[in-house]
Amino acid sequence: MLTPQLTRRDGALFYENVALESVADRFGSPCYVYSRAAIEANFLAYVEGFAALNPLICYAVKANSNLSVLSILAEHGAGFDIVSMGELKRVIAAGGDPAKVIFSGVAKRAEEIEFALRQRIYCFNIESESELHRVNAVASEMGERARITFRINPDVDPKTHPYISTGLKSNKFGVAHGEALRLYRLAASMPGIEVHGIECHIGSQITELSPFVDALRRLLSLVDQLADRGIAIAHLDIGGGRGIVYDDEKLAPMSLFAEAVARELGDRNLKLLLEPGRSIVGDAGLLLTRVEFLKPGETKNFAIVDAGMNDLLRPTLYDAFHPVLSVQDHPGNALTYDVVGPVCESGDWLAKDRKLVLNEGDTLAVLCAGAYGMVMASNYNTRGRAAEVLIEDDEMHLVRERETFDDLIAHERIVK
Ligand code: LLP
């Protein structure tokens, strides 16, 4: 199994000590299920792996923003990387500490900046000169100084899917490496700004170490050049975390990742920040879905399930691979299926060419769906978003109710 929390006992799939069939029976389908133990283990892997550097680990809320998930991480002392006022409000509602929050994103609105300043967050990660002016203006108006970091675009190829690579010149993110010195000087001259850090985020689902190291080197050379010009940088933020194993990816161990970062930092006096999302929650969650119909075709067999692209968009959007398992093993002939959803789009698929023994009515578990799953769900086809359940040892807790039709139309009006 991909994670120790997922086991098969007498043919039945268990998450921690709960049979997944009983989750679908109790809360219906489709349903996202998360394992507390897996989330904690993933977070602690960073804490322990990087212990020598004592970093602030800011969980990227965008990966999974369920309040219970945030609360587990807050309990363990996590900081949070947010991209909107909504995410900051979630962190606060979940008991997170605003003093450990960094605010990323290319287009922060003035009201979001003001709210974040009032909450006394740790830092704003600035992505353009215009944004620097806006943060300075809002902070000055409030008689405050905003701590800032520039997100540097290091122009490094992360070797991942083009939609989730962010550190190339051709991407919209960050300020160009060549512009950084000028912008830091400008920022240092502004009354509403306190220059504090330097950041980069080159992409997501990165499995190799070398792109991180290349980006880090480019950042550290800037830190040194800034120091020569009298601008001291207090923290260095290396952006999102490692990739995860969806299929047969080979990941460098966390200890090697940490050692590589430590080696590059050398004896510079820099506080380290990390913004992992996927690697904290990705393999700590799965999507349960039931087989509605088996439809043999001339060239393909289809298993039509009750979860669709509106529930889990990653396969449609990125051609992403998610393992699929039967929740209850039973005898029979394995056939090759495309697992597809009920949405009226040919792109509505969850998995292709999988060997499965299936009957109509079976429950399937789509694995590694804890990150960028529920957060990217939509109401397309007027489908309510799935329920979310948290497993803790032998208990299951509903942590988000399934959306009802009334929820979906709550903000609509008929004009007569
Ligand atoms: N920091 C920043 C500024 C980010 O933009 C992201 C992710 C992260 C941290 C977290 O990166 P991670 O540790 O999760 O790799 N929806 C896509 C992934 C989009 C990632 C966006 N940024 C997917 O489903 O693969």
Side-chain angles (χ1 to χ4, degrees):
M1 287 295 163
L2 286 172
T3 59
Q5 290 74 27
L6 195 64
T7 54
R8 206 174 272 288
R9 304 177 198 168
D10 296 330
L13 204 56
F14 275 71
Y15 219 11
E16 301 195 24
N17 287 311
V18 172
L20 282 167
E21 194 67 57
S22 66
V23 178
D25 285 344
R26 179 152 159 209
F27 298 113
S29 169
C31 176
Y32 275 99
V33 191
Y34 310 124
S35 154
R36 173 192 270 269
I39 296 170
E40 290 177 334
N42 287 338
F43 184 70
L44 289 178
Y46 277 97
V47 173
E48 284 161 13
F50 280 85
L53 293 168
N54 189 27
L56 176 59
I57 303 165
C58 294
Y59 166 67
V61 174
K62 64 167 79 71
N64 184 326
S65 58
N66 183 281
L67 294 180
S68 284
V69 171
L70 301 183
S71 153
I72 292 170
L73 293 166
E75 267 173 42
H76 286 276
F80 295 92
D81 169 44
I82 58 150
V83 290
S84 69
M85 179 161 67
E87 286 191 349
L88 178 51
K89 288 182 176 173
R90 279 184 177 273
V91 168
I92 295 167
D97 181 358
K100 293 184 185 170
V101 166
I102 51 177
F103 197 159
S104 304
V106 286
K108 302 166 192 77
R109 286 178 289 123
E111 61 167 323
E112 296 185 299
I113 297 164
E114 185 184 335
F115 181 76
L117 278 168
R118 285 199 199 294
Q119 297 302 324
R120 309 219 158 277
I121 66 163
Y122 184 74
C123 197
F124 293 84
N125 289 353
I126 303 289
E127 301 223 15
S128 63
E129 186 166 353
S130 300
E131 192 179 53
L132 175 69
H133 284 291
R134 182 178 285 176
V135 172
N136 178 47
V138 174
S140 303
E141 177 107 338
M142 293 167 70
E144 298 274 351
R145 290 184 84 199
R147 260 192 192 175
I148 66 114
T149 283
F150 280 107
R151 172 172 178 175
I152 308 298
N153 187 331
D155 197 22
V156 163
D157 183 357
K159 302 177 188 143
T160 183
H161 191 285
Y163 282 15
I164 50 177
S165 68
T166 51
L168 287 166
K169 268 188 195 150
S170 51
N171 299 129
K172 69 177 174 180
F173 298 100
V175 303
H177 190 267
E179 285 273 51
L181 294 178
R182 181 181 71 77
L183 289 174
Y184 270 103
R185 272 209 213 97
L186 175 63
S189 73
M190 290 178 157
I193 296 293
E194 178 194 345
V195 169
H196 202 269
I198 189 162
E199 190 245 8
C200 71
H201 170 76
I202 53 174
S204 195
Q205 185 53 15
I206 303 172
T207 52
E208 293 176 36
L209 274 185
S210 58
F212 284 109
V213 172
D214 291 350
L216 192 50
R217 288 192 181 147
R218 306 225 11 158
L219 246 56
L220 286 170
S221 93
L222 273 179
V223 169
D224 296 342
Q225 291 174 54
L226 286 164
D228 291 344
R229 288 162 176 76
I231 298 177
I233 297 296
H235 84 251
L236 180 137
D237 179 345
I238 60 171
R242 297 191 308 167
I244 64 169
V245 176
Y246 287 99
D247 190 1
D248 54 4
E249 296 90 340
K250 298 273 171 295
L251 294 180
M254 192 68 88
S255 54
L256 281 190
F257 187 14
E259 277 165 27
V261 173
R263 207 168 31 245
E264 297 303 322
L265 288 182
D267 55 6
R268 293 180 187 84
N269 188 18
L270 283 168
K271 171 88 181 162
L272 179 69
L273 268 70
L274 302 161
E275 307 167 359
R278 188 191 309 271
S279 47
I280 304 289
V281 288
D283 62 8
L286 51 85
L287 176 65
L288 288 181
T289 180
R290 282 213 157 114
V291 178
E292 298 282 7
F293 303 116
L294 295 177
K295 188 171 174 182
E298 272 180 30
T299 54
K300 288 220 167 233
N301 297 307
F302 293 103
I304 306 177
V305 298
D306 64 4
M309 62 188 281
N310 74 297
D311 297 297
L312 181 63
L313 185 60
R314 302 194 71 257
T316 306
L317 192 56
Y318 312 116
D319 226 354
F321 177 92
H322 287 264
V324 175
L325 298 178
S326 291
V327 163
Q328 179 67 55
D329 268 352
H330 46 70
N333 282 339
L335 294 180
T336 303
Y337 290 99
D338 277 8
V339 180
V340 300
V343 171
C344 300
E345 298 256 0
S346 299
D348 179 32
W349 59 277
L350 297 178
K352 286 191 172 159
D353 296 326
R354 303 300 170 86
K355 277 217 140 108
L356 294 161
V357 181
L358 289 183
N359 291 324
E360 292 184 351
D362 280 359
T363 306
L364 298 179
V366 182
L367 306 187
C368 297
Y372 308 110
M374 182 63 176
V375 285
M376 290 171 69
S378 77
N379 296 125
Y380 189 36
N381 282 201
T382 304
R383 290 165 49 82
R385 276 174 295 178
E388 291 180 289
V389 172
L390 179 71
I391 303 296
E392 290 181 329
D393 188 20
D394 58 358
E395 292 177 18
M396 49 177 131
H397 307 280
L398 185 64
V399 292
R400 190 181 201 271
E401 285 179 29
R402 181 178 308 286
E403 276 176 343
T404 63
F405 176 68
D406 286 346
D407 293 332
L408 298 193
I409 59 162
H411 302 290
E412 291 182 38
R413 303 282 178 272
I414 296 174
V415 178
K416 289 220 170 96

